[in-house]
């Protein structure tokens, strides 16, 4: 499950009343309930000031943002765009300029549209509270807009915050409405802010207006994005439906306020949870049904189409049916009646059990969380893809036809989207009411393509084809920088796979010799095709002298793979390589497969494959990533990987497991100290410069990195010795960005070449940030990676920072090419993933100096 989906879940504290999705009904009028998270996630948040973009204005904007109280911003909504965190002002060397210089220029387009006009009058911001609380945002809007004579026609309401261009007579206004079922509702409208055009909150307002435009275009909000249910793409052979949609954000960028928009897709399955449960009962029978149902459903994300919200299934309430009741105000209401009155929905199966989704946020004014969302399976649609579906080549191929858009298709879709807004008279009238206007063309900007890196391998060096970003052909037959002699090793195989094991062994001998990787003949061990037999064979044959274990697996059963890795990473620390027999079954591909396996085996044992020139001396590069282990009690796994030598070819790797909710740096402090001690052991000196690439930082987590993690890192370094003060840089790496760049090459729109850097126009003025397109893709549009330097005492020029980052994308030994992120980030990801998926324990310390997890 993604962090985004997790952030949208619901629930209650122990002992509270249960209820349907939404705010608890027993709230008092004094504390306005925060709107439901699924509704207001990422909605119209304030970004930065829309005024002129002089540097002193940017500082003022950030300060102004901090003064906006939570109540004025409509409750506890995570700030997904990390606005108000001004890290650039503390770095003297990039205050004047943060742009690089090297490389050749390239003309690009980006998925941004400038705002060409905006309102120049005072806006009045009001908080709106309903008694009794209303779950449906549509209903809240309808009740409020019954009072046209009081509010006027120009108004903007997002479910909690109301913006008006004029002031109401009194600071607190009480209005009374009635639902169509005759329920009386009191509405309290409280003035919270007067906003001049330069106010930072105005950007929040622009986003709210734009979301209204999307609703005018008949798009519906799911989570943070808007989708078109009226324009579905159907894949009937897989029972899947795709809703096309868009991500949209209006923010203050380097020189102007712009709308950033990208194509998004929501994959829905054409079956409800009730259908799924019925099929499952039919397959496994009544006795095994509860266990199978819990295993299949818990952790999945479902969509409820009546309010277009997504929920994570956390539990199944086997003792609840739609006839059960919950407290709504002073009354007991059944789920059947609630859905009928609130949404006009009839429940057909009154014996179905209910689904439970737990909340992860506080209630109003710091109260206990509201009760869990009790969901009706009949109204819940399964979303996303299961692991089984993801491993199905045909499903993924058919999905890619609709979702992997080429640069030309993506630009056409975005241009059509903006044209639809321009042509829609209602949308134009709404924008005109507020004085907002957007550019009709995508943003044009200039990027730079960094020089191609030369790969150093042993005594030789060579170039690769820049557009391919791959050197697998060039490296064939070239000896590695260094590789250990493989003298004592084992190959495990089943009787059925004996031929594949022999073929693999012969081909390994053939490909390893030109690489300078010397192998003696291994001991061949046959095992029966079941888990206990394999584990017994490992225990009886793997000893202290064993350098490498190769296991040929007849199938990709996870439990078998997990037991191998658990035994060889924890109990009997030995580098290991698992190979599926079907991977070895194609003779024409065996040389390529064996070469990759030989390279993996070499670097798992401490071999050094290739390098690039890194001019900085006494430098340690660190990569940090984390993974959330849902099996081992919802623990978090933090991984830290640090370079140990000048060529960035040897790495120290450490993993820590800790309880969810604990800060990841709490455990990684000791790992960083261990890395520094290991560096000293390798070099007889400590590094004079440390650069940390922090991956796995979700939206809205930047404040935590700046305020908590950076001081923790500095504390770890200080503990080595009070007189030890290396230069330190901390860079936040973000792969999940909606920014896209397109280049005009040979008369058509294409992906930018690998090595393209963008550090103007679409970056943020308050940050020292840049984008790099480092990898090449064969299908679809390439995703750039966003780098945000949040702390820097190194004084490295922006150009050197960008070039070093790009060089590190060449150093990942599991791929003979350039990857999306610096190698230590990918190593940390692989380590955290292996521990979270298979081992669930910290690996043995004897493996710390090896890339055993590749």
């Amino acid at each position: 499950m993604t962090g985004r989906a997790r952030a949208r879940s619901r629930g209650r504290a122990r002992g509270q009343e249960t209820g349907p999705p939404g705010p608890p009904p027993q709230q008092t009028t004094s504390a306005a309930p925060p709107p439901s998270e699924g509704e207001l996630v990422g909605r119209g948040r304030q970004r930065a000031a829309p005024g002129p973009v002089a540097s002193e204005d940017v500082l003022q904007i950030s300060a102004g943002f901090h003064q906006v109280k939570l109540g004025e911003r409509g409750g506890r909504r995570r700030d997904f765009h990390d606005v108000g965190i001004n890290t650039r002002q503390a770095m003297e060397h990039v205050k004047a300029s943060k742009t690089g210089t090297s490389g050749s220029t390239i003309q690009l387009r980006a998925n941004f549209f400038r705002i060409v006009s905006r309102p120049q009058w005072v806006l009045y911001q009001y908080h709106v509270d309903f008694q009794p609380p209303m779950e449906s945002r549509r209903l809240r809007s309808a009740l409020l807009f019954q009072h046209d004579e009081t509010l006027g026609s120009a108004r903007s309401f997002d479910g909690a915050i109301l913006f008006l261009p004029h002031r109401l007579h009194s600071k607190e206004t009480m209005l009374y409405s009635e639902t169509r079922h005759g329920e009386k509702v009191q509405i309290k409208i409280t003035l919270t802010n007067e906003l001049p055009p330069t106010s930072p909150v105005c950007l929040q307002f622009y986003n709210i207006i734009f979301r209204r435009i999307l609703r005018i275009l008949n798009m519906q909000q799911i989570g943070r994005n808007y989708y078109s249910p009226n324009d579905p793409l159907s894949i009937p052979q897989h029972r899947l439906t795709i809703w096309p949609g868009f991500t949209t954000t209006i923010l203050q960028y380097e020189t102007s306020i712009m709308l950033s928009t990208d194509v998004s897709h929501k994959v829905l399955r054409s079956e409800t949870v009730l259908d799924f449960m019925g099929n499952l009962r039919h397959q496994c029978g009544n006795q095994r049904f509860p266990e199978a149902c819990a295993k299949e459903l818990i952790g999945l994300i479902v969509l409820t189409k009546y309010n277009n919200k997504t929920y994570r299934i956390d539990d199944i309430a086997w003792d609840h049916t739609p006839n059960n009741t919950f407290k709504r105000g002073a009354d007991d209401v059944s789920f059947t009646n609630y859905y009928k009155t609130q949404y006009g929905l009839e429940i057909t199966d009154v014996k179905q059990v209910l689904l439970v989704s737990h909340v992860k946020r506080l209630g109003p004014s710091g109260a206990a969380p509201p009760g869990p969302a009790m969901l009706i399976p009949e109204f819940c649609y399964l979303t996303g893809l299961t692991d089984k579906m993801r491993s199905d080549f045909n499903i993924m191929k058919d999905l890619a036809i609709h979702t992997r858009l080429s640069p030309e298709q993506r630009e056409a879709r975005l241009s059509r989207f903006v044209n639809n807004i321009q042509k829609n008279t209602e949308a134009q009238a709404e924008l005109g009411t507020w004085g907002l206007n957007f550019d009709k063309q995508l943003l044009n900007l200039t990027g730079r393509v960094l020089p191609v890196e030369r790969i150093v391998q042993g005594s030789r060096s060579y170039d690769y084809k820049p557009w391919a970003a791959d050197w697998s052909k060039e490296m064939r037959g070239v000896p590695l920088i260094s590789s250990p002699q493989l003298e004592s090793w084992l190959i495990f195989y089943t009787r059925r796979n004996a031929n594949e094991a022999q073929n693999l062994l012969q081909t390994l001998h053939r490909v390893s010799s030109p690489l300078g990787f010397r192998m003696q003949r291994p001991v061949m061990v046959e095992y029966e095709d079941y888990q206990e037999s394999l584990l017994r064979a490992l225990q009886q044959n793997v000893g202290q002298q064993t350098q490498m274990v190769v296991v040929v697996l007849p199938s990709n059963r996870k439990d078998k793979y997990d037991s191998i890795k658990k035994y060889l990473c924890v109990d009997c620390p030995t580098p290991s390589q698992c190979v599926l027999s079907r991977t070895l079954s194609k003779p024409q591909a065996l040389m390529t497969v064996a070469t990759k396996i030989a390279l993996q085996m070499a670097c798992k044992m401490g071999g050094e494959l290739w390098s690039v020139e890194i001019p900085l001396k006494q430098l340690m590069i660190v990569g940090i990533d984390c993974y959330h282990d849902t099996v081992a009690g919802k623990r978090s796994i933090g991984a830290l990987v640090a370079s140990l030598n000048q060529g960035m070819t040897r790495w120290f790797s450490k993993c820590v497991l800790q309880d969810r909710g604990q800060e990841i740096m709490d455990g990684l402090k000791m790992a960083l100290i261990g890395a520094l001690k290991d560096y000293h052991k390798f070099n007889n000196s400590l590094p004079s410069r440390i650069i940390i690439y922090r991956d796995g930082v979700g939206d809205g987590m930047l404040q935590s990195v700046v305020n908590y993690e950076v001081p923790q890192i500095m504390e770890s370094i200080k503990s080595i010795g009070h007189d030890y003060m290396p230069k330190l840089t901390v860079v936040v790496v973000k792969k999940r960005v909606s920014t896209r760049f397109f280049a005009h090459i040979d008369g058509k729109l294409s992906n930018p070449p690998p090595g393209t850097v963008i550090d103007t126009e679409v970056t943020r003025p308050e940050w020292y940030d840049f984008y790099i397109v480092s990898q090449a893709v064969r299908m679809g549009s390439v995703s750039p990676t966003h780098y945000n330097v949040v702390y820097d005492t190194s004084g490295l020029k922006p150009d050197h920072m960008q070039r070093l980052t790009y060089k590190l994308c060449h150093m990942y030994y599991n791929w003979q090419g350039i990857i999306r992120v610096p190698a230590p980030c990918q190593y940390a990801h692989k380590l955290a993933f292996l521990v979270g998926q298979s081992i669930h324990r910290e690996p043995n310390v004897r493996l710390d100096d090896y890339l055993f997890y590749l």
Side-chain angles (χ1 to χ4, degrees):
M1 183 179 74
T2 63
R4 186 175 299 182
R6 197 177 291 112
R8 291 196 293 258
S9 53
R10 300 284 187 283
R12 65 169 170 138
R14 248 177 238 156
Q16 288 181 324
E17 292 291 343
T18 59
Q26 55 271 47
Q27 288 167 342
T28 60
T29 50
S30 59
S36 299
E37 234 178 39
E39 212 164 89
L40 285 174
V41 148
R43 285 184 51 78
R45 209 173 312 302
Q46 167 272 330
R47 315 292 190 224
V53 201
S55 59
E56 59 272 18
D57 289 339
V58 171
L59 301 187
Q60 188 185 344
I61 289 158
S62 298
F65 183 84
H66 284 300
Q67 288 164 14
V68 180
K69 291 181 189 140
L70 277 172
E72 293 166 351
R73 294 170 59 210
R76 289 171 189 78
R77 295 183 287 171
R78 258 175 73 205
D79 183 9
F80 290 108
H81 302 286
D82 297 302
V83 172
I85 303 162
N86 193 329
T87 47
R88 185 177 170 188
Q89 64 179 337
M91 296 178 250
E92 286 295 332
H93 62 296
V94 288
K95 265 188 179 176
S97 170
K98 61 176 183 182
T99 56
T101 52
S102 60
S104 54
T105 59
I106 183 170
Q107 294 307 306
L108 302 169
R109 281 193 198 169
N111 56 338
F112 289 78
F113 296 89
R114 276 200 175 94
I115 291 188
V116 290
S117 70
R118 55 200 174 82
Q120 295 299 327
W121 57 78
V122 172
L123 275 176
Y124 296 90
Q125 181 183 345
Y126 294 88
H127 191 86
V128 185
D129 188 22
F130 294 83
Q131 280 301 323
M134 294 290 117
E135 146 72 5
S136 163
R137 190 191 62 218
R138 190 176 292 175
L139 180 57
R140 290 200 294 266
S141 299
L143 293 167
L144 181 65
F145 295 163
Q146 286 176 15
H147 302 278
D148 276 356
E149 70 290 347
T150 307
L151 304 176
S153 57
R155 68 227 169 171
S156 172
F157 180 58
D158 75 348
I161 299 172
L162 172 70
F163 289 102
L164 297 174
H166 60 271
R167 185 175 178 143
L168 298 177
H169 294 302
S170 54
K171 190 174 179 182
E172 205 171 88
T173 306
M174 302 299 278
L175 301 173
Y176 298 89
S177 297
E178 194 173 300
T179 68
R180 62 185 174 186
H181 302 290
E183 187 179 10
K184 299 276 192 298
V185 180
Q186 174 190 291
I187 305 170
K188 182 166 82 171
I189 304 172
T190 310
L191 178 68
T192 57
N193 224 340
E194 292 185 19
L195 309 168
T198 54
S199 164
V201 186
C202 282
L203 287 180
Q204 177 185 355
F205 162 69
Y206 298 159
N207 279 279
I208 293 169
I209 293 295
F210 198 78
R211 280 161 174 72
R212 189 189 294 184
I213 300 300
L214 296 174
R215 288 198 292 276
I216 288 170
L217 296 178
N218 295 320
M219 298 181 81
Q220 294 186 9
Q221 186 178 7
I222 302 175
R224 293 190 231 170
N225 304 330
Y226 277 77
Y227 298 90
S228 298
N230 303 329
D231 192 19
L233 306 164
S234 187
I235 309 177
Q237 66 271 33
H238 305 304
R239 298 187 71 189
L240 293 174
T241 304
I242 301 168
W243 283 7
F246 295 93
T247 67
T248 63
T249 306
I250 297 172
L251 264 178
Q252 171 73 60
Y253 292 95
E254 208 66 54
T255 56
S256 58
I257 296 170
M258 291 191 281
L259 164 70
S260 166
T261 179
D262 192 30
V263 177
S264 176
H265 297 94
K266 194 78 185 168
V267 178
L268 305 175
R269 294 190 240 164
S270 310
E271 60 179 341
T272 64
V273 174
L274 190 61
D275 298 334
F276 181 83
M277 290 168 93
N279 293 334
L280 195 63
R281 188 188 289 272
H282 183 69
Q283 285 170 23
C284 62
N286 288 341
Q287 194 174 349
R288 284 185 53 237
F289 173 68
E291 184 191 345
C293 196
K295 190 177 176 184
E296 290 288 337
L297 288 179
I298 289 174
L300 292 186
I301 304 298
V302 294
L303 171 77
T304 49
K305 288 188 180 177
Y306 52 81
N307 62 356
N308 280 318
K309 289 185 191 173
T310 49
Y311 300 87
R312 180 187 193 271
I313 300 175
D314 289 310
D315 205 351
I316 300 168
W318 296 103
D319 54 346
H320 277 62
T321 70
N323 289 330
N324 277 70
T325 60
F326 64 95
K327 280 277 183 215
R328 184 166 168 79
D331 303 325
D332 286 329
V333 182
S334 74
F335 288 94
T336 310
N337 288 340
Y338 172 81
Y339 281 95
K340 190 173 183 179
T341 55
Q342 195 81 0
Y343 298 106
L345 293 171
E346 291 279 356
I347 294 174
T348 54
D349 182 355
V350 292
K351 290 185 178 175
Q352 62 189 299
V353 297
L354 303 189
L355 309 172
V356 181
S357 186
H358 289 305
V359 85
K360 303 278 194 308
R361 63 191 176 99
L362 289 175
S365 305
M374 304 296 286
L375 305 169
I376 310 293
E378 188 179 332
F379 300 146
C380 295
Y381 285 81
L382 293 162
T383 71
L385 303 172
T386 61
D387 289 340
K388 191 178 174 185
M389 290 166 121
R390 285 182 195 283
S391 61
D392 187 316
F393 174 77
N394 291 321
I395 291 179
M396 298 312 287
K397 184 183 163 193
D398 294 339
L399 264 177
I401 292 167
H402 297 291
T403 58
R404 285 202 178 174
L405 304 180
S406 70
E408 286 186 323
Q409 291 172 316
R410 194 174 286 268
E411 193 212 30
R413 186 85 66 88
L414 294 173
S415 297
R416 191 162 69 241
F417 170 56
V418 170
N419 284 338
N420 288 344
I421 295 172
Q422 302 283 351
K423 287 177 187 171
N424 188 299
T425 50
E426 192 184 343
Q428 284 304 301
E430 181 66 27
L431 288 170
T433 303
W434 297 100
L436 274 175
N437 197 7
F438 295 90
D439 205 337
K440 297 176 180 66
Q441 302 297 320
L442 284 173
L443 177 74
N444 290 307
L445 73 162
T446 304
R448 289 175 295 111
V449 183
L450 296 175
V452 178
E453 292 295 332
R454 196 164 174 79
I455 305 298
V456 179
Q457 192 172 321
S459 58
R460 290 173 54 186
S461 63
Y462 50 82
D463 292 317
Y464 58 89
K465 289 176 184 166
W467 273 96
D470 177 292
W471 50 88
S472 50
K473 285 180 183 168
E474 287 81 356
M475 78 174 294
R476 274 186 202 157
V478 180
L480 305 176
I481 294 172
S482 80
S483 56
Q485 292 219 9
L486 186 51
E487 292 168 348
S488 174
W489 62 299
L490 307 162
I491 294 184
F492 291 81
Y493 63 95
T494 60
R495 181 171 298 174
R496 184 161 67 131
N497 301 135
N499 285 340
E500 284 92 340
Q502 283 299 334
N503 292 340
L504 171 64
L505 177 58
Q506 287 165 16
T507 319
L508 277 174
H509 278 297
R510 202 183 317 164
V511 299
S512 61
S513 189
L515 294 169
F517 181 24
R518 301 192 191 289
M519 292 182 182
Q520 299 299 324
R521 187 159 181 81
V523 174
M524 305 292 285
V525 181
E526 188 181 310
Y527 67 94
E528 296 293 323
D529 187 13
Y530 59 93
Q531 194 174 320
E532 291 77 13
S533 169
L534 174 55
L535 195 56
R536 195 162 52 244
L538 288 169
Q539 288 165 344
Q540 288 168 357
N541 292 280
V542 181
Q544 291 259 324
Q545 305 304 314
T546 309
Q547 293 172 280
M548 171 61 65
V549 173
V550 176
V551 184
V552 179
L553 291 167
S555 69
N556 60 351
R557 270 185 53 184
K558 187 176 180 300
D559 55 350
K560 206 175 280 185
Y561 177 83
D562 291 355
S563 68
I564 295 166
K565 290 297 178 183
K566 203 172 283 184
Y567 181 70
L568 295 175
C569 292
V570 180
D571 303 325
C572 181
T574 313
S576 60
Q577 180 69 43
C578 293
V579 192
L580 278 175
S581 60
R582 74 159 180 259
T583 311
L584 307 172
S585 60
K586 296 172 186 168
Q588 67 275 21
L590 197 54
M591 282 288 280
T592 307
V593 169
T595 303
K596 291 191 172 179
I597 290 171
L599 291 173
Q600 269 187 298
M601 288 167 65
C603 64
K604 283 180 179 183
M605 293 165 60
E608 301 165 50
L609 308 191
W610 65 79
S611 186
V612 293
E613 190 201 350
I614 295 178
L616 294 172
K617 302 285 184 276
Q618 286 188 294
L619 167 68
M620 179 197 260
I621 299 287
V622 179
I624 294 174
D625 202 354
C626 53
Y627 176 85
H628 300 297
D629 182 355
T630 51
V631 177
K634 295 189 176 178
R635 289 188 296 183
S636 292
I637 291 112
L640 179 144
V641 175
S643 65
L644 295 173
N645 63 348
Q646 168 68 26
M648 308 290 157
T649 56
R650 294 298 306 271
W651 302 88
F652 169 88
S653 311
K654 198 76 180 166
C655 212
V656 292
L657 281 78
Q658 50 197 42
D659 296 325
R660 180 70 61 81
Q662 215 182 329
E663 290 286 353
I664 209 76
M665 273 315 294
D666 289 353
L668 290 179
K669 264 165 63 175
M670 292 311 295
L672 182 56
I673 292 166
L676 287 165
K677 287 177 178 173
D678 215 23
Y679 185 97
H680 189 274
K681 194 171 76 182
F682 257 73
N683 303 281
N684 290 321
S685 66
L686 287 165
S688 61
R689 193 189 295 271
I690 301 170
I691 297 177
I692 296 176
Y693 288 93
R694 169 70 159 97
D695 204 344
V697 176
D699 296 335
M701 284 172 58
L702 190 63
Q703 189 83 59
S704 165
V705 174
V706 174
N707 291 355
Y708 185 81
E709 292 190 13
V710 172
Q712 294 279 85
I713 290 165
M714 292 162 76
E715 208 177 289
S716 299
I717 293 166
K718 209 177 279 181
S719 69
I720 296 290
H722 286 296
D723 54 344
Y724 176 52
M725 292 182 67
K727 293 172 179 175
L728 175 67
T729 305
V730 180
V731 187
V732 170
V733 181
K734 205 165 185 186
K735 300 184 293 289
R736 286 190 177 176
V737 291
S738 58
T739 305
R740 296 289 180 273
F741 299 105
F742 317 116
H744 260 295
I745 296 166
D746 298 333
K748 66 169 190 172
L749 215 58
S750 310
N751 284 315
T756 301
V757 174
I758 300 92
D759 54 11
T760 59
E761 296 282 358
V762 295
T763 50
R764 301 269 284 270
E766 71 272 28
W767 294 348
Y768 169 16
D769 61 333
F770 54 91
Y771 290 92
I772 298 183
V773 175
S774 51
Q775 82 280 29
V777 294
R778 291 197 182 100
M779 263 185 86
S781 306
V782 71
S783 294
T785 303
H786 184 247
Y787 297 93
N788 184 4
V789 184
V790 296
Y791 183 85
D792 188 16
T793 59
S794 74
L796 266 187
K797 290 178 183 172
D799 196 64
H800 294 168
M801 192 70 228
Q802 293 166 6
R803 289 203 60 181
L804 175 65
T805 301
Y806 184 51
K807 282 173 183 286
L808 291 167
C809 295
H810 295 67
M811 291 301 301
Y812 180 60
Y813 285 163
N814 220 4
W815 179 253
Q816 295 100 53
I818 315 174
I819 61 167
R820 274 189 75 180
V821 293
C825 291
Q826 190 63 15
Y827 287 139
H829 166 75
K830 287 285 282 187
L831 174 57
F833 187 79
L834 175 70
V835 173
Q837 279 280 305
S838 303
I839 304 175
H840 310 296
R841 285 160 66 189
E842 287 185 26
N844 195 297
V845 292
R846 280 166 51 192
L847 294 172
D848 282 357
D849 288 345
Y850 301 101
L851 298 171
F852 65 92
Y853 41 83
L854 288 190

